[in-house]
């Protein structure tokens, strides 16, 4: 296992030599989740192999097992991964536990500046502590929870007439969470072309992070805060405010009245399947799915539309997804891994990343005049990335996530207790975690 000192020496040697390519070709392994963007990265990385002489291997793990598998790898000091595209919440543990190489000196030496990336992705994927210029990753994949809807169903004249008669407004992209619930309830149990359909597929999965990644899109917009803005780790009255409880009640009502039967443990894959098979009028999901929606013969080609998570009574926010790419501190091939970071940061590579279905966080890509018209979902991606919030990125984030999954699922899905009781219990759980961490 490499020590932090050895890691620093390795990075320093690269800087001192000024090398842009390693003297010896290496076999590098990049670890990430198994999903569509990973396939695009394989294709993109072929150019790196040609330019560098290094060979790329990939270790991709399905999302439900991704965190357990890769965090165990990091915590054990394993040398499987030279590069890690780790989830946004891992950055605190990656930095404080010495899993990731600090990249500031490397960035400075190679003209890589975080000013060139979407600010939310720098804060979410690269920085620790948050809002300080200490970088342990390069923003790799911008992602956010948004909504996909059956535009072709919305546009049907007979459906438009019926919706107008019931709600007194045109059936269109919802401007608020309340309107979204109306639309979902309107489609619930409706007959479309001889098939019974339902309102919306939302995140309800309990085993990893699913329901948390879903319910926060309601909680944030109803006033939920992770902590007192003026006093870190002061959470009582912020996590469990009366308005936050209303947000949790909203999510439960949406689940109870406007989702498909049997959807009590759904996450990304189940929502995609339900939408593509014509079961639902809308789906909540991370933006990474949108290229696949457009390419799908059943729902693509203008049949689908996209919109950011709508506003609630306390504002408009959306759950941040996405990841940064880091050099693993236990790798014995850090020089070559840093080359990959340097290559990946280039504007022309980032532009190709977007074209292949990756979500670049580079301003030069997303602020290009042609970006908005490049894909039907490009504007929604930009609008969504402008309203993001993220879950705790604390080193103990997993210990914070587990009780939230349990408390929220027990209330929303199992119907146990009240929303206020669920959030009060969550506060107690989180206070215990922070006390154990010495934060309180």
């Amino acid at each position: 296992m490499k020590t932090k000192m050895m890691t620093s020496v390795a990075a320093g040697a690269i800087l001192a030599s000024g090398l842009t390519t390693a003297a010896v070709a290496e076999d590098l392994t990049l670890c990430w989740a198994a999903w569509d963007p990973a396939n695009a990265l394989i294709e993109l990385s072929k150019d790196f192999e040609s330019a560098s002489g290094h060979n790329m291997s990939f270790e991709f793990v399905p999302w439900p097992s991704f965190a357990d598998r890769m965090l165990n790898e990091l915590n054990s000091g394993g040398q499987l991964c030279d590069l890690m595209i780790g989830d946004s919440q891992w950055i605190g543990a990656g930095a404080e536990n010495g899993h990731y190489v600090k990249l500031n000196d490397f960035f400075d030496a190679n003209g890589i500046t975080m000013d060139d990336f979407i600010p939310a992705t720098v804060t979410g994927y690269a920085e620790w502590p948050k809002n300080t210029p200490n970088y342990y990753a390069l923003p790799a994949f911008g992602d956010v929870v948004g909504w996909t809807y059956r535009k072709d169903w919305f546009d049907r004249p007979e459906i438009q007439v019926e919706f107008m008669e019931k709600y007194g407004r045109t059936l269109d992209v919802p401007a608020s969470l309340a309107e979204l619930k109306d639309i979902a309830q309107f489609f619930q149990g409706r007959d479309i072309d001889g098939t019974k359909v339902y309102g919306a597929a939302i995140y309800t999965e309990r085993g990893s992070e699913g329901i948390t990644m879903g319910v926060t899109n309601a909680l944030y917009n109803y006033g939920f805060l992770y902590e007192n803005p003026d006093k870190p780790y002061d959470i009582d009255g912020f996590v469990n405010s009366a308005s936050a409880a209303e947000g949790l009640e909203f999510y439960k009502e949406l689940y109870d009245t406007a989702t498909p039967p049997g959807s009590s443990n759904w996450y990304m894959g189940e929502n995609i399947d339900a939408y593509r098979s014509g079961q639902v009028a809308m789906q909540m999901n991370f933006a990474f799915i949108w290229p696949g929606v457009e390419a799908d013969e059943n729902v693509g080609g203008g049949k689908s539309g996209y919109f950011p998570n709508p506003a609630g009574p306390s504002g408009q926010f959306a759950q941040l997804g996405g990841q940064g790419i880091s050099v693993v501190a236990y790798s014995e091939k850090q020089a070559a891994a840093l080359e990959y970071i340097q290559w990946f940061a280039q504007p022309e590579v980032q532009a190709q990343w977007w074209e292949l279905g990756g979500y670049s966080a580079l301003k030069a890509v997303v602020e290009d005049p042609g970006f908005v018209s490049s894909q039907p979902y490009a504007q929604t991606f930009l609008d969504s990335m402008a309203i993001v919030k993220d879950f705790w990125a604390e080193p103990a984030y997993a210990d914070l996530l587990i009780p939230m999954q349990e408390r929220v699922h027990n209330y929303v899905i199992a119907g146990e207790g009240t929303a206020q009781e669920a959030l009060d219990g969550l506060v107690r759980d989180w206070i215990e975690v922070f006390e154990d961490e010495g934060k309180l």
Side-chain angles (χ1 to χ4, degrees):
M1 181 187 305
K2 280 193 179 291
T3 65
K4 294 182 183 178
M5 181 177 294
M6 292 171 68
T7 296
S8 177
V9 169
I14 295 166
L15 299 175
S17 68
L19 293 175
T20 56
T21 58
V24 178
E26 299 278 13
D27 293 325
L28 292 174
T29 298
L30 187 153
C31 297
W32 199 12
W35 57 335
D36 288 347
N39 298 325
L41 188 65
I42 292 175
E43 185 65 27
L44 182 72
S45 298
K46 291 177 181 177
D47 288 343
F48 172 74
E49 291 179 314
S50 298
S52 68
H54 302 308
N55 296 313
M56 295 296 298
S57 297
F58 301 90
E59 183 74 16
F60 297 147
V61 179
W63 274 111
S65 306
F66 177 55
D68 285 345
R69 172 71 178 84
M70 291 307 168
L71 290 176
N72 285 339
E73 176 69 20
L74 293 174
N75 290 331
S76 67
Q79 296 183 339
L80 169 65
C81 310
D82 303 297
L83 292 151
M84 175 79 74
I85 302 184
D87 225 351
S88 58
Q89 297 98 331
W90 302 3
I91 195 70
E96 291 197 9
N97 296 330
H99 299 324
Y100 294 161
V101 173
K102 188 175 182 180
L103 297 172
N104 287 57
D105 290 344
F106 180 75
F107 286 168
D108 291 344
N110 289 279
I112 299 171
T113 172
M114 291 298 96
D115 292 340
D116 290 341
F117 291 84
I118 300 171
T121 67
V122 176
T123 302
Y125 312 153
E127 293 178 349
W128 190 261
K130 296 297 184 185
N131 301 308
T132 69
N134 296 283
Y135 306 119
Y136 294 86
L138 181 92
F141 189 87
D143 206 1
V144 57
V145 172
W147 291 85
T148 317
Y149 73 101
R150 288 299 299 266
K151 189 174 184 298
D152 55 339
W153 295 358
F154 279 42
D155 289 344
R156 293 190 180 190
E158 69 277 12
I159 290 179
Q160 284 282 343
V161 168
E162 186 177 344
F163 188 85
M164 174 64 77
E165 290 175 350
K166 184 170 185 178
Y167 294 101
R169 66 176 189 272
T170 301
L171 174 58
D172 202 347
V173 169
S176 66
L177 287 175
E179 290 187 6
L180 183 145
K181 184 174 66 176
D182 287 344
I183 294 169
Q185 291 173 340
F186 174 78
F187 277 100
Q188 184 76 354
R190 180 168 296 275
D191 182 277
I192 301 286
D193 299 331
T195 300
K196 187 176 183 179
V197 305
Y198 302 94
I202 65 174
Y203 289 166
T204 58
E205 182 262 2
R206 177 169 177 163
S208 61
E209 63 176 14
I211 197 166
T212 297
M213 295 295 100
V215 73
T216 47
N217 295 281
L219 292 177
Y220 296 154
N221 295 347
Y222 272 81
F224 170 101
L225 295 174
Y226 284 104
E227 58 191 343
N228 183 342
D230 300 319
K231 186 179 179 182
Y233 308 110
D234 177 18
I235 63 175
D236 195 6
F238 297 90
V239 167
N240 58 338
S241 65
S243 57
E246 291 177 8
L248 189 54
E249 290 167 353
F250 168 90
Y251 202 78
K252 177 171 176 54
E253 184 179 358
L254 186 63
Y255 170 74
D256 286 341
T257 65
T259 61
S263 61
S264 61
N265 195 37
W266 283 17
Y267 198 15
M268 295 177 280
E270 291 83 2
N271 285 15
I272 292 170
D273 291 344
Y275 185 79
R276 287 180 171 175
S277 62
Q279 294 181 52
V280 292
M282 298 182 290
Q283 70 159 319
M284 160 190 284
N285 225 320
F286 284 109
F288 84 89
I289 71 158
W290 294 339
V293 169
E294 281 300 303
D296 189 280
E297 62 181 12
N298 294 323
V299 296
K303 295 178 182 177
S304 293
Y306 313 90
F307 60 89
N309 191 49
S314 298
Q316 185 176 14
F317 305 98
Q319 175 59 50
L320 181 70
Q323 302 87 31
I325 183 168
S326 300
V327 175
V328 177
Y330 314 115
S331 168
E332 295 183 343
K333 304 167 185 175
Q334 291 179 26
L338 287 165
E339 283 183 54
Y340 188 92
I341 299 282
Q342 183 181 6
W343 167 83
F344 187 72
Q346 297 175 92
E348 58 270 26
V349 174
Q350 288 290 302
Q352 187 181 4
W353 182 218
W354 169 253
E355 291 174 4
L356 289 172
Y359 279 41
S360 174
L362 190 70
K363 289 180 181 177
V365 174
V366 301
E367 293 177 358
D368 184 276
F371 180 82
V372 169
S373 61
S374 66
Q375 295 290 350
Y377 47 79
Q379 185 64 61
T380 301
F381 173 69
L382 290 181
D383 294 342
S384 298
M385 291 302 297
I387 59 171
V388 293
K389 284 192 176 187
D390 199 12
F391 187 75
W392 293 105
E394 292 285 321
Y397 103 92
D399 294 327
L400 298 164
L401 179 63
I402 291 169
M404 184 160 186
Q405 285 284 109
E406 180 179 356
R407 295 281 186 183
V408 171
H409 199 278
N410 286 351
Y411 169 69
V412 172
I413 308 303
E416 295 181 8
T418 67
Q420 190 65 60
E421 289 169 346
L423 294 180
D424 288 346
L426 182 60
V427 166
R428 294 193 296 271
D429 296 336
W430 282 0
I431 287 175
E432 183 177 348
V433 171
F434 289 133
E435 287 177 340
D436 290 344
E437 290 289 301
K439 304 290 188 179
L440 293 174

